Amino acid sequence: IRKDVSPPSPKKGTISQVEVKRLDSIIDEFYLNSVDFIRMDAEGYELHILKGLKNTLKKFKPIISLELHVRQLGLEGTRQFFSLMCSLNYEIHSYVSRDLDIPLVGSINDITQPTIENLLKMIETNQTGNYLMLNLINSSNSNIVKNKISNSDI
């Protein structure tokens, strides 16, 4: 258990040890020759998971769809998350701010496309909710992805 996480009360259950592997290792073990899309809602562990996917992100440049938990990551963890995404040449394709971690029904006007720098400024000045729905694309694939989306029948 991390030092900053309190163990659960024995009344609520028990702690079990589980094996943890980096997703890069799993992808290598299965000899995957492509990874096009990654979707996650990791309740504040997004940065840790993506650090364990760095080789995959560099090699395959998949689209990443995730819910970023700013409240759990904290401001410094959120900065580290966006720093990692920038270092891997990812940019925001779409973003929706949410105050509650519940299903969302909205309109097309709820979706924006700020730069990472602008979104980070919005977070730092409390102009966003605690949960950010993000779709990130690698800048080397951005035209391909945008063309696929605009030509789809969705």
Side-chain angles (χ1 to χ4, degrees), residues 40-59:
M40 74 174 80
D41 183 355
E43 304 300 321
Y45 288 91
E46 299 83 10
L47 177 61
H48 301 288
I49 293 169
L50 290 172
K51 283 181 178 179
L53 268 170
K54 274 176 83 168
N55 293 337
T56 299
L57 299 177
K58 286 179 185 177
K59 182 177 180 180

Side-chain angles (χ1 to χ4, degrees), residues 16-23 25-26 29 45 48-49 52:
S16 301
Q17 288 189 343
V18 295
E19 181 181 357
V20 176
K21 286 186 172 184
R22 291 178 172 266
L23 286 171
S25 300
I26 294 170
E29 286 174 25
Y45 288 91
H48 301 288
I49 293 169

Side-chain angles (χ1 to χ4, degrees), residues 1-7 44-45 48 72:
I1 295 179
R2 291 184 356 213
K3 291 177 185 174
D4 60 333
V5 175
S6 300
Y45 288 91
H48 301 288
Q72 285 85 340

Side-chain angles (χ1 to χ4, degrees), residues 66-98:
L66 59 81
E67 184 170 295
L68 188 67
H69 291 248
V70 175
R71 178 184 224 161
Q72 285 85 340
L73 274 174
L75 187 54
E76 186 54 36
T78 302
R79 286 183 183 130
Q80 289 176 25
F81 169 84
F82 284 117
S83 177
L84 176 64
M85 292 295 90
C86 286
S87 74
L88 295 168
N89 298 314
Y90 274 84
E91 57 190 37
I92 297 170
H93 180 266
S94 62
Y95 149 78
V96 176
S97 178
R98 299 173 52 201

Side-chain angles (χ1 to χ4, degrees), residues 70 75 78-79 95 117-129:
V70 175
L75 187 54
T78 302
R79 286 183 183 130
Y95 149 78
E117 182 180 294
N118 286 343
L119 182 55
L120 195 50
K121 286 178 187 175
M122 291 166 60
I123 293 165
E124 291 168 345
T125 57
N126 297 316
Q127 297 176 42
T128 67

Side-chain angles (χ1 to χ4, degrees), residues 1 7-18:
I1 295 179
S9 162
K11 295 175 187 176
K12 295 183 180 178
T14 60
I15 297 175
S16 301
Q17 288 189 343
V18 295

